[in-house]
Amino acid sequence: MHVTLPDGNRLDVPEAATGADVARAIGPGLAKAALGIRIDGSLGDLLSEVPGGASVEILTERDGEVVALMRHTLAHVMAQAVTEYFVAQGALPTAIRLGIGPVIENGFYYDFDLPRPLTPEDLEEIEGRMRAIVAADLPLERFPLPREEALGRYRGSGDPYKMELIEELPEGVAITFYRQGGEGGFTDLCRGPHLPSTGRIAPHFKLMSVAGAYWRGDEARPMLQRIYGVAFLTAEALEQHLWQLEEARKRDHRRLGAELDIFVLDEDVGPGLPLWLPRGAIIIEELERLAKEVEEAAGYRRVRSPHLSKEQLLLKSGHLPYYREDMYPPMELENVRYFMKPMNCPFHHKIYAARPRSYRDLPLRLAEYGTCYRYEDSGALMGLLRVRSLQMNDAHIYCTEEQFEAEFMRVIELYFHYFDLFSIDDYVMRLSLHAEEGLGKKYVNSPELWRKTEAMVRQAMAAGGINFVEIEDEAAFYGPKIDVQIQSAIGREFTLATNQVDFAQPGRFGLSYIDENNQRQTPLCIHRAPLSTHERLVGFLLEHYAGDFPLWLAPEQVRVVPIADRHTPFAESLQSRLVKAGVRAEVDARAERMNAKIRDAELYKVPYIAIVGDREVEGETVSFRSRKGPDRNAVPVGAFIAHLRDTIVARSSAVGPLPEAAGG
RNA sequence: GCCAAUGUAGCUCAGAGGUAGAGCAACCGAUUCGUAAUCGGUAGGUCGCCGGUUCAAAUCCGGCCAUUGGCUCCA
């Protein structure tokens, strides 16, 4: 048989030649350097047979993708190390059961069922053993087994996980094993691909953590112990990765939230119930001001509703059957059960229903930033990104079917407006659909309405030229959902904007309008929250901006630093001029040196530090530091204030040039 | 919810059965200074909570609470 090389030449090789044979046929030097092979574009290993006629390319350490082989082999090395480690402590080899050990971004993991929980010290020991296995340079071999024989290997050791994996492999697929270290060496069910020997693993790896993980992600099944590791081809790449983790830690919103006095979580208040400090409240109020301006211009009207309601409202909306697990339990008063509200929609439906509606009233857009309460799993809580008390940037749009597409697109345009304002350019739009199996359980049981509504949304998205992906079985219980996944600057992924199309609740609430022909009709409802919750948005923005908020959002916009006590009166008059102009300014009149005041203001990430001394007092000027522009000296106070005000009003995240009046 | 780790002053951390510590922050005093930490002093704690073991517990044991990481990126 033959294979085709990257230069287009054909190379004759014996039948059933492996990647290693191909490399040898090309040349001894390459055979020595070879780590893997690319077969018809996909990554393979030197141990597997190459199909005749394939286009192949031998990979060496110069090909970055071989890192995947290395990570995969490291997973096996780790499994061997863990097995040896426990056997050395007296455990029977059959007491160590293996789950899966795949390659992941930056590294690998392996799931183990072990006699006892692992500690961080165990990880060090295991990593040490891994390095010994790498140094021992054990050769890897690959061999297939018939299904029965494969099962037999694990039936003997009583490993239910591997048996399950084998049983689920479809007929006709080769069941392969990899063995490292020859006869009696560590052997694992695996489809590969792997490095040819453990000695080819670059020593730039590190075990990071151990965590519980349900077998196959199913909470009804056993909890295994998962060890995570990272691995790279070069020491620099590993260092870079660890440095990035450290940087990510520094801009974690929980850390910044504490350092910048934005919010706190207090044990006595309760998990997932954040307290907003004055500086955090300023940010929220600025965001609300933004939303109100945008929504007023877009024809929304604001409403308000209470924090709790009687059970019957939520029975009517359908929340109780579908959503009860995620709600705080009821309180009972005078034989009536009340619930904290998990959503605003039932109230808005009631507001819609409070008056008879004509087609002339539609679309009716009701907005509210009321606080909702959701009983999230304790293990799901995470800083501000997942909380139990939350304020949504919420609104419900009631419209006719004819109006749907235009209204829907106006919501999507709102998204884009906000993304632009917050410099979010990396996102994925997802259309979440129902799944047949969930009808009547997770989802309202109206198959034909689901299909119709989903088609309407798809059509609107397509007509608007929006790129999106479709996700099965993630819809809201009352209709399909569109949400937007974004990544914070530290790579944390979460959902910001979201909206849903609701064909179910308007009917349940008996909402109606009278159309042109004097006929009673049921409106559609679009639920939308383009800015997510205030909590999540602030958490995201903290990480996104690393605490360096654009001027309009900064809790303190200017810190005035008098150089000596005699400059304090001027500093205070400057502050009051700033405040009058709508700028949030404070004076640092402590008996500290100027250098210390500047340092403190910089660490507090105050966008502008205005320094005033003799020169400024005399000339009615300021000298300032800006976190985003060059320092300037002797700027007339009026020009400084005008510049700040313009930047704030424009909600600019960039800093425009200051008029070159008095120079600097 | 489940598995694991962590919880000591406002913050970052030390202390591992025998009188609770440091740095920073806070407060007081001195210093009045030109672009990232002036000097000195004072105060600050039911060692997450409850219980147990012990002559003696921050330390050992148990329970609870909270926080953090993880709970398919599939052999």
Side-chain angles (χ1 to χ4, degrees):
Chain A
M1 71 180 210
H2 74 275
V3 293
T4 306
L5 300 179
D7 59 9
N9 287 332
R10 285 163 60 124
L11 179 72
D12 286 314
V13 290
E15 285 301 314
T18 63
D21 297 331
V22 173
R24 252 192 308 278
I26 297 171
L30 185 63
K32 218 173 154 208
L35 292 173
I37 185 168
R38 193 184 293 133
I39 301 172
D40 292 330
S42 56
L43 187 63
D45 65 28
L46 301 173
L47 308 167
S48 307
E49 288 175 21
V50 178
S55 291
V56 301
E57 182 181 353
I58 299 298
L59 302 175
T60 67
E61 64 181 9
R62 284 157 55 183
D63 301 288
E65 63 205 275
V66 299
V67 76
L69 302 178
M70 189 176 108
R71 288 170 179 159
H72 203 169
T73 303
L74 265 170
H76 281 212
V77 168
M78 179 163 76
Q80 180 182 343
V82 167
T83 307
E84 289 177 0
Y85 179 57
F86 274 88
V87 169
Q89 291 181 1
L92 290 170
T94 50
I96 296 103
R97 292 165 177 174
L98 307 180
I100 58 167
V103 173
I104 55 173
E105 193 183 352
N106 298 319
F108 57 94
Y109 68 77
Y110 213 117
D111 288 343
F112 302 97
D113 185 352
L114 298 170
R116 63 166 177 85
L118 290 165
T119 66
E121 295 72 54
D122 291 327
L123 288 197
E124 280 178 39
E125 291 283 333
I126 291 164
E127 190 177 311
R129 283 176 179 270
M130 287 172 68
R131 293 191 190 282
I133 293 167
V134 169
D137 193 13
L138 306 178
L140 272 82
E141 305 159 71
R142 176 180 188 273
F143 60 91
L145 281 182
R147 185 173 302 256
E148 244 330 289
E149 247 178 274
L151 284 172
R153 290 186 70 94
Y154 291 110
R155 204 172 279 125
S157 64
D159 187 328
Y161 309 110
K162 291 292 183 188
M163 288 182 63
E164 181 177 326
L165 291 171
I166 294 169
E167 277 161 3
E168 287 183 11
L169 288 175
E171 287 299 329
V173 172
I175 298 171
T176 56
F177 289 80
Y178 281 77
R179 179 168 67 188
Q180 53 210 40
E183 204 62 40
F186 175 82
T187 309
D188 197 6
L189 170 74
C190 187
R191 69 175 164 196
H194 281 281
L195 292 178
S197 80
T198 61
R200 308 304 295 273
I201 293 169
H204 315 300
F205 61 88
K206 186 171 160 58
L207 298 189
M208 302 299 284
S209 61
V210 58
Y214 295 108
W215 171 238
R216 319 206 92 179
D218 182 349
E219 59 188 296
R221 314 200 61 183
M223 170 81 63
L224 306 181
Q225 297 191 70
R226 173 174 299 176
I227 304 178
Y228 282 95
V230 294
F232 298 90
L233 289 176
T234 64
E236 296 74 58
L238 175 62
E239 270 165 36
Q240 167 77 11
H241 177 73
L242 297 176
W243 180 81
Q244 271 176 3
L245 288 180
E246 180 58 27
E247 285 303 298
R249 214 172 62 80
K250 282 186 197 157
R251 47 159 82 198
D252 187 310
H253 77 278
R254 290 165 297 195
R255 180 192 176 107
L256 287 168
E259 282 172 2
L260 304 182
D261 295 321
I262 306 297
F263 73 98
V264 290
L265 288 162
D266 185 281
E267 279 205 24
D268 288 333
V269 178
L273 304 171
L275 296 173
W276 292 99
L277 305 181
R279 289 181 168 251
I282 287 172
I283 296 170
I284 287 192
E285 280 167 18
E286 284 293 346
L287 292 168
E288 261 184 33
R289 192 178 314 179
L290 166 71
K292 286 176 182 172
E293 281 176 26
V294 167
E295 286 165 8
E296 269 162 30
Y300 289 76
R301 317 187 63 185
R302 237 170 359 266
V303 296
R304 286 167 173 270
S305 59
H307 287 205
L308 39 69
S309 75
K310 292 203 282 194
E311 177 178 40
Q312 63 199 58
L313 181 72
L314 297 158
L315 284 171
K316 195 168 267 185
S317 69
H319 281 88
L320 273 181
Y322 295 101
Y323 208 75
R324 184 166 204 140
E325 294 296 299
D326 298 305
M327 289 168 52
Y328 275 91
M331 61 194 94
E332 192 162 325
L333 298 156
E334 293 167 327
N335 298 321
V336 178
R337 275 196 290 277
Y338 287 80
F339 285 90
M340 305 298 292
K341 71 167 161 181
M343 290 173 175
N344 296 310
C345 36
F347 298 91
H348 293 186
H349 299 332
K350 284 295 188 185
I351 290 169
Y352 180 99
R355 293 287 177 271
R357 304 291 177 181
S358 135
Y359 70 97
R360 295 174 193 276
D361 296 328
L362 304 184
L364 182 67
R365 310 181 188 91
L366 302 179
E368 174 169 13
Y369 314 130
T371 307
C372 296
Y373 301 87
R374 297 180 179 180
Y375 193 75
E376 300 281 354
D377 275 355
S378 58
L381 299 176
M382 219 282 285
L384 289 178
L385 301 187
R386 197 169 285 272
V387 290
R388 287 179 174 168
S389 74
L390 48 112
Q391 249 184 304
M392 276 187 288
N393 167 237
D394 204 8
H396 296 92
I397 301 168
Y398 300 88
C399 64
T400 67
E401 270 189 38
E402 295 69 45
Q403 292 167 333
F404 171 78
E405 192 170 313
E407 283 304 308
F408 184 84
M409 285 316 295
R410 291 183 65 171
V411 169
I412 302 288
E413 276 155 25
L414 261 190
Y415 289 10
F416 292 136
H417 174 72
Y418 287 134
F419 291 174
D420 190 42
L421 184 65
F422 293 115
S423 322
I424 298 166
D425 30 45
D426 231 1
Y427 58 84
V428 182
M429 287 243 179
R430 313 195 317 168
L431 169 57
S432 296
L433 309 169
H434 79 293
E436 290 284 333
E437 313 85 76
L439 285 173
K441 298 194 280 278
K442 239 170 119 174
Y443 306 118
V444 173
N445 194 6
S446 314
E448 66 296 336
L449 274 172
W450 276 103
R451 273 192 290 278
K452 179 175 160 193
T453 317
E454 286 170 358
M456 281 171 73
V457 175
R458 225 182 254 121
Q459 152 67 19
M461 303 270 276
I466 309 294
N467 286 324
F468 62 97
V469 296
E470 297 195 6
I471 316 279
E472 283 282 323
D473 203 16
E474 290 281 322
F477 73 80
Y478 46 70
K481 181 168 83 175
I482 291 90
D483 56 33
V484 184
Q485 295 274 330
I486 55 177
Q487 278 197 355
S488 77
I490 70 173
R492 191 136 46 203
E493 197 169 86
F494 61 97
T495 307
L496 190 70
T498 169
N499 68 35
Q500 295 100 36
V501 185
D502 185 351
F503 55 79
Q505 289 194 60
R508 300 178 68 100
F509 276 81
L511 304 187
S512 66
Y513 64 92
I514 305 300
D515 73 8
E516 304 88 318
N517 305 316
N518 206 26
Q519 297 296 305
R520 187 174 292 271
Q521 302 284 356
T522 303
L524 273 175
C525 176
I526 302 173
H527 304 236
R528 43 114 279 177
L531 290 177
S532 182
T533 68
H534 292 0
E535 287 74 15
R536 193 176 283 187
L537 180 60
V538 172
F540 166 75
L541 292 176
L542 271 165
E543 293 187 3
H544 187 60
Y545 292 126
D548 260 320
F549 286 103
L551 192 62
W552 69 278
L553 274 176
E556 178 182 350
Q557 293 162 322
V558 178
R559 172 79 56 94
V560 184
V561 171
I563 289 175
D565 284 352
R566 64 177 179 280
H567 308 123
T568 302
F570 180 75
E572 284 170 348
S573 78
L574 174 61
Q575 178 199 24
S576 73
R577 285 181 67 177
L578 285 162
V579 169
K580 263 193 204 115
V583 178
R584 294 184 285 270
E586 287 170 34
V587 175
D588 184 350
R590 291 176 303 164
E592 275 294 348
R593 293 178 59 217
M594 180 195 65
N595 282 320
K597 296 181 185 180
I598 288 172
R599 181 182 144 86
D600 289 345
E602 290 284 3
L603 291 175
Y604 220 37
K605 300 186 191 276
V606 180
Y608 285 89
I609 303 171
I611 293 143
V612 296
D614 291 336
R615 294 205 292 266
E616 288 74 19
V617 172
E618 198 183 323
E620 282 272 306
T621 61
V622 293
S623 296
F624 65 82
R625 280 177 158 235
S626 156
R627 292 181 66 78
K628 294 188 179 149
D631 296 1
R632 292 289 302 271
N633 290 320
V635 175
V637 170
F640 179 55
I641 292 178
H643 166 70
L644 294 174
R645 210 174 36 202
D646 292 348
T647 309
I648 291 167
V649 168
R651 294 199 174 94
S652 169
S653 46
V655 176
L658 190 73
E660 289 286 337

